[in-house]
Amino acid sequence: MKRPSGQALSDGGFLRLAVGIVVAAVLVAGCSPAQSMSGPPVIRVLGSWEGPELDAFERVVAPFEEQTGYRIDYTSTRNLRGVLETSFEAGRPPDLAGLPGPGFMLEMAREGRLVDLGDVLDIRAYKRETAPAFVDLGTIDGRLVGAFIKGTVKGLFWYDPSVYRLGTPATWSDLQITAMTAVDGVRPWCVGLASDASSGWPGTDWIEDFVLRQSGPEVYDGWVAGTVRWTSPAIRKAFRAFGTVVADGAAAGGVDGVLRTHFSHAPNGLFTDPPQCLFVHQASFMAPYMAQAVGQLGGTYDILPFPEVDPRYRGAIIGAGDLVALTHDSPGGRELIRYLVSAEAQSIWVSQGGALSANLTVTDYPDHLSRQEAGLLASATFFRFDASDSMPEGMNEAFWQAVLDYTADQSKLDDILAHLDAIQEMEYRGS
C-alpha cells in the first residue's frame, strides 16, 4: 500500500491551497487498473485516516493486496467533501472514498455519484450479517450506496485508573462532583477541539450526548431532521451543559488550550506528571491514540460509559462508523469493498482495538475495553447515529464552527443559536 504523502490538511488561510494539493495527489498519483502502464494495478482510495487509524487500515488491506495483486493508493484528508467534489469536477474521482456521514452520502447518491452496491455485494448476506442500523443508514431510496466498514461507540470517558479511583458514577451530576474533587489541583477535563479543516467536531459529540440524554430520542431525531430549532430549550440546555466542561477552571489549558489542542493529543494530559486532567470524552476509536499517549508517557487507561442524565433515557447510546462508497465503478473498487465488509477484514480491524465490527459474525474482541463497548451497543435501549454526521453538510459545518465560537465566548450563545436557525432554514428547505 502506498502511504499518503503528508498529514491531514491544515485549515485557515491555507485551506484552498491545501485542497488543491491533495486533489492533485488524488488525480496524479494513481491511475485506474485499466490505465496502469507498468507494475501492479492500482485502486485509488480517499479517506480521513491518519496516524494509528491509517496504520490499522494498512494492516487490514495488506492480505487483500497480497491475494489479489492490487496496490492500494491512499490519499488522506480531513476535508473529504471538498476534495471529493473537486475530483468529480475534474472527472477523476477515486475508486473508493470515505464519506463524512449519511447527510453527504444522501446528497451524493441523489446526484448519481455513488455506485449501487446491490450490484456489487451479496445483499442478502450483507443484510443478514450487518447491524440493521448500519444497513438502514447506508440505504437511500431503497438502494444500498454506503457500507459501514467499522463502528464506534460514542460518549465514553477515558481515564488513568491509577489517578482516578472513585469507581463508576451513577449520574452525570455525580461525575461532575467527583471530577471536580477527586484529585487536588487536577482539572476534570482534557478537551481538544482542533482537527484541521474539521475543527470543532469533538465538541459536537458532547452536545449530541447531552441532547439525547437530557431530552430523549424524539427531540434528538427532530433536531437531526431539522424540525427542532437550535434556539429551542432542549438544544440551548445541551450547549450550556457543554459550557460547564470547556469553561476556564474546568478544562486543562483553559479556553485557549481547548481551542488549540488537537483532539488526538488531548489524552496526553491524563498521563503527564502531575496529570493535567482526569477524563477525556471520546469515542471508542480513541483507543489507538490512548495507546500512543501511554507509549510516550507511561500509564494505563480504562473507560467509563456516559452516566445517566435523565432516568427516562437510561441506556441511550450514540454511535457512528466509517462509511465508504464506490465513487468510481472499477473492478478493483468492487473487489475492495467486498473484502472490506467481510468477516476476514473486519476481524483484522477489531483485533487492533478501537473499532467495533459492523459485521455481526465478528465477536472475537481483543480486550476488555472492546468487549465492554460491544456490550454497550448490545444493551442499548436507544441507539442513535451521530447527529452532526447525519445533518446536511452545510449544517454540519456550521455546527462545528458554532462549537468553536461558543467555547471562545459563551456570552454569545443567543446569537450563535439564532445563526444556526438561519442555516437550518436554508439547508433543510425543500429536503
Side-chain angles (χ1 to χ4, degrees):
M1 172 178 165
K2 180 181 178 182
R3 290 187 70 100
S5 57
Q7 295 299 315
L9 300 180
S10 61
D11 53 3
F14 298 100
L15 177 57
R16 266 177 283 187
L17 174 62
V19 169
I21 291 171
V22 174
V23 170
V26 173
L27 302 181
V28 175
C31 56
S32 68
Q35 295 170 318
S36 182
M37 301 300 294
S38 62
V42 172
I43 303 171
R44 291 174 297 132
V45 177
L46 176 69
S48 61
W49 299 307
E50 58 183 356
E53 287 187 294
L54 177 54
D55 293 339
F57 177 67
E58 288 182 336
R59 295 187 186 100
V60 169
V61 298
F64 173 84
E65 290 180 306
E66 182 177 350
Q67 294 163 14
T68 65
Y70 282 102
R71 177 172 64 84
I72 308 299
D73 188 356
Y74 176 80
T75 299
S76 177
T77 175
R78 285 287 174 182
N79 185 29
L80 283 169
R81 180 189 180 103
V83 174
L84 192 54
E85 287 184 337
T86 305
S87 73
F88 270 106
E89 290 169 5
R92 291 295 311 279
D95 298 294
L96 187 145
L99 301 179
F104 182 52
M105 182 189 71
L106 173 63
E107 296 176 34
M108 295 278 289
R110 291 186 173 169
E111 291 170 0
R113 290 180 165 180
L114 303 183
V115 176
D116 186 344
L117 299 181
D119 299 327
V120 178
L121 304 177
D122 181 338
I123 290 296
R124 288 186 179 180
Y126 179 78
K127 290 182 177 180
R128 184 174 62 251
E129 296 175 355
T130 305
F134 289 137
V135 175
D136 292 343
L137 287 163
T139 301
I140 302 296
D141 299 330
R143 296 181 301 121
L144 182 72
V145 294
F148 285 89
I149 57 174
K150 60 174 178 173
T152 186
V153 170
K154 298 207 166 193
L156 302 175
F157 292 97
W158 301 80
Y159 69 100
D160 182 343
S162 70
V163 176
Y164 175 78
R165 304 176 180 179
L166 299 183
T168 302
T171 68
W172 168 246
S173 295
D174 292 341
L175 179 58
Q176 283 186 302
I177 293 169
T178 58
M180 293 295 291
T181 61
V183 181
D184 289 341
V186 179
R187 303 281 181 92
W189 317 111
C190 274
V191 183
L193 296 183
S195 186
D196 306 304
S198 54
S199 292
W201 72 258
T204 69
D205 283 0
W206 272 103
I207 293 168
E208 290 159 10
D209 273 320
F210 285 122
V211 171
L212 182 60
R213 290 174 169 84
Q214 288 175 336
S215 301
E218 185 174 347
V219 170
Y220 187 95
D221 293 344
W223 180 46
V224 170
T227 59
V228 170
R229 305 290 280 172
W230 292 81
T231 49
S232 69
I235 309 307
R236 184 183 302 274
K237 182 179 180 182
F239 266 83
R240 291 203 181 281
F242 171 62
T244 67
V245 172
V246 294
D248 276 325
V255 168
D256 187 60
V258 168
L259 292 170
R260 295 169 65 91
T261 300
H262 196 277
F263 82 93
S264 64
H265 299 157
N268 293 351
L270 297 173
F271 307 110
T272 55
D273 185 17
Q276 300 172 35
C277 61
L278 293 181
F279 297 106
V280 170
H281 170 271
Q282 196 47 270
S284 53
F285 68 75
M286 201 64 175
Y289 298 103
M290 298 295 298
Q292 191 173 66
V294 166
Q296 295 170 351
L297 300 169
T300 58
Y301 59 89
D302 209 332
I303 56 172
L304 297 173
F306 203 109
E308 174 187 300
V309 179
D310 186 316
R312 292 176 296 173
Y313 312 123
R314 182 183 293 115
I317 289 291
I318 294 175
D322 286 5
L323 177 63
V324 298
L326 284 179
T327 46
H328 171 66
D329 196 355
S330 66
R334 285 174 169 246
E335 284 197 50
L336 179 58
I337 202 165
R338 281 193 288 263
Y339 169 75
L340 289 174
V341 302
S342 71
E344 177 186 359
Q346 298 278 299
S347 294
I348 300 173
W349 277 120
V350 304
S351 70
Q352 299 166 82
L356 303 177
S357 178
N359 188 318
L360 298 174
T361 68
V362 177
T363 58
D364 188 16
Y365 288 96
D367 52 57
H368 80 282
L369 295 182
S370 298
R371 290 190 291 273
Q372 184 177 349
E373 292 157 3
L376 290 172
L377 271 182
S379 62
T381 54
F382 306 102
F383 176 85
R384 291 297 184 271
F385 195 81
D386 181 276
S388 59
D389 286 347
S390 302
M391 294 173 180
E393 193 65 18
M395 189 79 263
N396 189 12
E397 292 177 355
F399 191 7
W400 295 344
Q401 186 59 48
V403 164
L404 301 176
D405 294 341
Y406 177 64
T407 300
D409 188 349
Q410 295 191 24
S411 71
K412 294 183 178 179
L413 181 59
D414 287 346
D415 291 339
I416 290 168
L417 295 180
H419 177 67
L420 289 171
D421 271 354
I423 299 295
Q424 185 186 66
E425 181 67 24
M426 290 188 296
E427 288 292 320
Y428 287 88
R429 185 182 300 147
S431 63

